[in-house]
Amino acid sequence: MSSIQYALLSLLAREQLSGYDMKQQMNGRINFFYKINNNQLYPTLSKLESEGYIQLQSHERESYRPAKKIYKITEKGIESLKAWVVEPSEPGAWDEFLLKQYSSWLVEPEVMLAQLAERRKEHEARLGQYTAKVALLRGQEERITADHPLFSSIAVIEMGILFERGYIEWCDKMIGWLRENRI
Amino acid sequence: MSSIQYALLSLLAREQLSGYDMKQQMNGRINFFYKINNNQLYPTLSKLESEGYIQLQSHERESYRPAKKIYKITEKGIESLKAWVVEPSEPGAWDEFLLKQYSSWLVEPEVMLAQLAERRKEHEARLGQYTAKVALLRGQEERITADHPLFSSIAVIEMGILFERGYIEWCDKMIGWLRENRI
DNA sequence: ATGTGCATGTAACTCGTTACATGATTGA
DNA sequence: TCAATCATGTAACGAGTTACATGCACAT
């Protein structure tokens, strides 16, 4: 199963929406980070409905337009979303991780805390690897100018380092918020 | 054109390699961040060769194994890589951006500096939007507990904020390195 | 007249993934 | 003996993108 279905469920877990509404929310940045197109959207909605994860709530026909089909998440839908949120996504699957966080309010805080601790450890490890790698590369030449391949190699890893630091910082913040039960 | 071809060119711009070597470098994390599989690799190499971006350097047959085909980048290949590096990638195309940075050593520092200044501005703007969005969401409820959808909405955007800050910090570092012509 | 928004959906395509195939060598 | 490594490559599938189709309302 790909993430798109869960992206849709994560929206419906918050409010009832039509396919069109979901697309608006997703493609209008800031609100959401996952993009979707019609060809994934409508077949996926049909599939989710036929499998009982969502159900048609109303069918508002406004004279001229195609009837607006408002969907609602089912109990089964919520359960499958919760199960997906807690199963670990593999390293590098950034979008998927964010998407899971977006539905983390459905999951018990203790479970999320355990997850976060593990994630934090992983990223701490990666940070260590990157730092070591940079040290290694820097040691190869005494002066590395901008036209040298090593310049770019190091620059890219330095980005990775900043990225990992941000990730770890976020884990710490999140752990604090969960402990205090407020954000 | 997809990024894979450029990923291969970016490796060959540094050293001569066989398809197998490229795959090793790419899939062995830390060294590289882009993954590739055989079905993309070998046809892409053939295509790059037939179009004159790379050329076969040697064909070492080690008795029993299939002959190891070592490729070399051509002048045309380097030129197309350089052109690709300086054309702006769209926001959110994170992998592509990193990949371009990986070949930035081929490009004149002044051009890179101009690029970086623009990128920095974009991310500064995004940071502002996220900050505003968080303030807006926080204002909606006086106390937001961990089981409330807003908890997750805010947490996700807070991640975006840390991410953008990291990006801006990296731009500043990079600008400094380019100005001093050393890293 | 022309374009944009609402609201559904389909067709055709490209991109990427998983799995398979060959075949000798080396290490457990 | 069984799996892993080296080194090339293909087949079949699934995911994702771009473009199209309908059709009325409303603003420029």
Side-chain angles (χ1 to χ4, degrees):
Chain A
M1 276 185 261
S2 91
S3 308
I4 304 139
Q5 317 172 41
Y6 295 110
L8 298 176
L9 290 180
S10 74
L11 294 176
L12 290 173
R14 287 155 197 249
E15 52 181 330
Q16 299 172 187
L17 292 167
S18 71
Y20 190 84
D21 296 334
M22 294 180 218
K23 203 190 166 189
Q24 294 307 102
Q25 288 205 19
M26 287 182 146
N27 293 1
R29 262 280 175 200
I30 314 175
N31 290 309
F32 219 66
F33 36 90
Y34 221 82
K35 274 174 197 153
I36 198 167
N37 54 347
N38 291 354
N39 204 358
Q40 296 177 273
L41 178 58
Y42 293 107
T44 305
L45 282 176
S46 302
K47 203 189 149 203
L48 285 173
E49 196 197 2
S50 75
E51 290 172 9
Y53 295 106
I54 64 177
Q55 57 187 215
L56 202 57
Q57 178 71 4
S58 70
H59 213 205
E60 288 161 34
R61 157 153 271 124
E62 264 186 69
S63 61
Y64 61 94
R65 280 185 217 150
K68 188 167 182 165
K69 295 162 86 171
I70 308 270
Y71 291 98
K72 183 186 187 302
I73 196 167
T74 62
E75 194 54 44
K76 183 179 171 186
I78 288 189
E79 287 312 312
S80 93
L81 184 57
K82 276 176 72 171
W84 177 73
V85 168
V86 297
E87 82 189 25
S89 22
E90 56 196 80
W94 176 247
D95 289 354
E96 191 185 296
F97 179 76
L98 272 185
L99 202 50
K100 284 183 177 174
Q101 291 308 318
Y102 193 67
S103 294
S104 63
W105 62 281
L106 291 167
V107 177
E108 297 70 41
E110 309 82 54
V111 179
M112 288 311 300
L113 280 167
Q115 286 268 313
L116 284 165
E118 260 198 74
R119 282 267 136 192
R120 210 203 108 103
K121 234 171 35 188
E122 281 169 29
H123 287 274
E124 198 88 63
R126 284 253 283 276
L127 178 59
Q129 290 180 313
Y130 289 165
T131 308
K133 183 78 183 175
V134 163
L136 194 90
L137 293 179
R138 280 187 192 277
Q140 279 184 29
E141 297 273 340
E142 166 215 357
R143 183 186 156 96
I144 299 165
T145 51
D147 60 350
H148 195 288
L150 278 175
F151 186 92
S152 294
S153 298
I154 293 170
V156 166
I157 303 176
E158 288 281 1
M159 170 98 88
I161 287 175
L162 289 173
F163 178 79
E164 295 297 337
R165 283 213 193 112
Y167 206 108
I168 291 166
E169 201 183 323
W170 180 83
C171 284
D172 289 339
K173 278 191 169 186
M174 191 71 181
I175 288 168
W177 292 325
L178 282 168
R179 288 231 178 93
E180 293 170 33
N181 194 31
R182 71 180 303 155
I183 195 163
Chain B
M1 277 183 259
S2 90
S3 308
I4 304 140
Q5 316 171 43
Y6 295 110
L8 297 177
L9 290 180
S10 74
L11 294 178
L12 290 174
R14 287 155 197 250
E15 52 180 330
Q16 299 173 187
L17 293 166
S18 71
Y20 189 84
D21 295 333
M22 296 180 215
K23 203 190 167 190
Q24 293 309 101
Q25 288 207 19
M26 286 181 145
N27 292 2
R29 263 279 175 204
I30 314 173
N31 290 308
F32 219 65
F33 36 88
Y34 223 82
K35 274 173 197 156
I36 199 167
N37 53 349
N38 291 354
N39 204 1
Q40 296 177 273
L41 177 59
Y42 292 108
T44 305
L45 283 176
S46 303
K47 203 188 149 204
L48 285 173
E49 196 198 1
S50 75
E51 289 172 10
Y53 296 105
I54 64 177
Q55 56 187 216
L56 202 56
Q57 179 70 4
S58 69
H59 214 204
E60 288 161 33
R61 160 153 271 121
E62 261 187 68
S63 63
Y64 61 94
R65 281 185 215 148
K68 188 165 182 166
K69 294 162 87 172
I70 307 267
Y71 291 97
K72 183 184 186 304
I73 196 166
T74 63
E75 195 53 45
K76 184 179 172 187
I78 288 189
E79 286 313 312
S80 94
L81 184 56
K82 274 176 73 172
W84 178 73
V85 168
V86 297
E87 83 189 26
S89 23
E90 55 197 79
W94 176 245
D95 289 352
E96 192 185 295
F97 178 76
L98 272 184
L99 203 50
K100 284 183 179 175
Q101 291 308 318
Y102 193 67
S103 294
S104 61
W105 62 281
L106 292 168
V107 177
E108 296 70 41
E110 309 83 52
V111 179
M112 287 312 298
L113 280 167
Q115 285 269 313
L116 283 166
E118 260 199 72
R119 282 268 134 189
R120 210 203 109 104
K121 236 173 35 192
E122 282 169 29
H123 286 274
E124 198 89 61
R126 283 253 284 278
L127 178 59
Q129 289 181 313
Y130 290 165
T131 309
K133 184 78 184 177
V134 162
L136 193 92
L137 292 179
R138 282 187 191 275
Q140 279 183 29
E141 297 272 340
E142 165 215 357
R143 184 186 155 95
I144 298 165
T145 51
D147 59 350
H148 195 288
L150 279 176
F151 187 92
S152 295
S153 300
I154 292 170
V156 167
I157 303 175
E158 289 281 1
M159 170 98 86
I161 287 174
L162 289 174
F163 178 80
E164 295 297 338
R165 284 212 194 112
Y167 206 107
I168 291 167
E169 201 182 322
W170 180 82
C171 284
D172 288 339
K173 278 191 168 187
M174 192 70 181
I175 289 168
W177 292 325
L178 282 169
R179 289 232 178 92
E180 295 171 33
N181 193 31
R182 72 180 303 155
I183 194 161

